[in-house]
Amino acid sequence: MKQLKNMILEFLFPPRCAICGTVLDITNAERRLCPTCKADIPFIKAERCQICGRHITEDYICQRCKTTDFAFTKGMAAFSYAVMQQPIANLKFHGYQHDAENLGSLFYEYFVENQKDWITWTDIVAIVPLHEKKQKRRGFNQVDLICRELVEKTNMQYIPDLLQRSVDTVPQSSLQAEQRRENIRNVFVLNKNIDITDKHILLVDDIFTTGSTLHECSKALLRGGAAEVRVYCLAVVEKQ
């Protein structure tokens, strides 16, 4: 019965490439990427900004991050948002939770290939939280789903409720840069039951756009006693 159910689900919702969305051959045991994307996974390669992770051609920090005083000290992103815009939208807004495992696998792969030393640096992995009303409506936090494979395979300590969002804010995607900063200011609070004194925190999110949300989360963590915060995102918006 279970096998028949799976066959029906695969017929109605065939597996698709986690990056480009191409329907995959159901006989493909991996069922993660199409041959084209697998042959050349479009990770951010070569030089990248050490603060936000976007691709740069010179220096170590992009011009945007040079002029912004973020509370976190370092950052990295696996993909350009231009590559991941549709997969992220499918997960967040269309409920494609089955895609999260494939995205999480890529998220883990990039991390260990590029910043494996962060595993030993990290004391706690935290995620950018949704307000409880929004999470109830959506049914899940997409960032939690994406980072599960990372924490499971690296054995880093993961506390998904380390941060809480005290205000159900207007969606950041609907606002301009300055509006984003004001919209999100001081809305994140630390879980009072958890001591993070002198801890190194790896903060995970799905998209780095202006960095305002990550900055505010990092401020809350540092106010709570954290020694340092670094950020890792699935995608970064290259142009702002």
Side-chain angles (χ1 to χ4, degrees):
M1 188 68 179
K2 185 176 181 180
Q3 184 177 7
L4 176 61
K5 181 180 179 181
N6 289 337
M7 290 175 63
I8 294 172
L9 287 173
E10 286 182 344
F11 176 77
L12 295 174
F13 306 101
R16 295 177 178 272
C17 175
I19 295 174
C20 71
T22 299
V23 175
L24 301 177
D25 184 345
I26 62 173
T27 62
N28 180 349
E30 185 176 351
R31 300 191 187 184
R32 186 180 72 155
L33 300 176
C34 69
T36 301
C37 291
K38 186 175 181 180
D40 185 20
I41 300 176
F43 286 133
I44 293 178
K45 301 180 177 71
E47 298 300 324
R48 55 186 183 273
C49 176
Q50 300 301 298
I51 302 298
C52 70
R54 72 199 298 192
H55 174 71
I56 52 177
T57 56
E58 58 185 25
D59 213 341
Y60 294 100
I61 301 176
C62 70
Q63 191 59 39
R64 175 179 62 181
C65 291
K66 282 182 179 178
T67 58
T68 308
D69 186 20
F70 290 122
F72 52 89
T73 57
K74 293 182 180 181
M76 178 174 65
F79 294 94
S80 167
Y81 180 60
V83 172
M84 277 291 155
Q85 182 173 3
Q86 193 58 52
I88 291 174
N90 287 339
L91 175 59
K92 291 173 69 171
F93 307 121
H94 305 303
Y96 286 23
Q97 294 184 58
H98 52 277
D99 287 350
E101 184 177 351
N102 288 335
L103 294 176
S105 178
L106 294 167
F107 194 62
Y108 163 77
E109 184 177 329
Y110 189 82
F111 186 85
V112 296
E113 285 183 0
N114 292 275
Q115 293 291 6
K116 196 172 184 178
D117 59 312
W118 284 19
I119 297 174
T120 54
W121 174 88
T122 300
D123 294 312
I124 299 171
V125 177
I127 60 173
V128 173
L130 295 175
H131 189 271
E132 60 181 356
K133 289 183 180 178
K134 182 175 289 184
Q135 181 152 339
K136 187 175 181 179
R137 289 195 299 269
R138 186 174 295 174
F140 60 92
N141 183 335
Q142 74 282 352
V143 185
D144 170 58
L145 299 182
I146 290 170
C147 82
R148 285 183 186 178
E149 186 159 351
L150 173 66
V151 296
E152 287 172 3
K153 288 189 173 180
T154 59
N155 291 316
M156 291 187 290
Q157 183 183 14
Y158 175 41
I159 305 179
D161 62 345
L162 182 60
L163 286 170
Q164 298 167 348
R165 189 183 294 241
S166 61
V167 180
D168 190 10
T169 56
V170 174
Q172 291 285 85
S173 58
S174 66
L175 305 174
Q176 298 300 316
E178 183 57 37
Q179 293 174 316
R180 285 171 179 259
R181 286 189 284 271
E182 290 303 317
N183 183 54
I184 212 75
R185 194 182 300 278
N186 296 325
V187 304
F188 298 103
V189 294
L190 183 68
N191 186 328
K192 296 179 180 179
N193 298 318
I194 302 171
D195 183 11
I196 61 169
T197 303
D198 296 330
K199 300 295 185 183
H200 296 103
I201 312 293
L202 179 64
L203 178 62
V204 174
D205 201 4
D206 54 352
I207 309 167
F208 189 122
T209 306
T210 64
S212 298
T213 300
L214 292 160
H215 172 67
E216 288 296 323
C217 285
S218 299
K219 281 170 52 180
L221 292 167
L222 293 170
R223 283 196 300 266
E228 184 182 351
V229 181
R230 296 178 184 178
V231 302
Y232 180 37
C233 300
L234 178 64
V236 59
V237 175
E238 299 273 19
K239 296 181 180 180
Q240 278 292 307

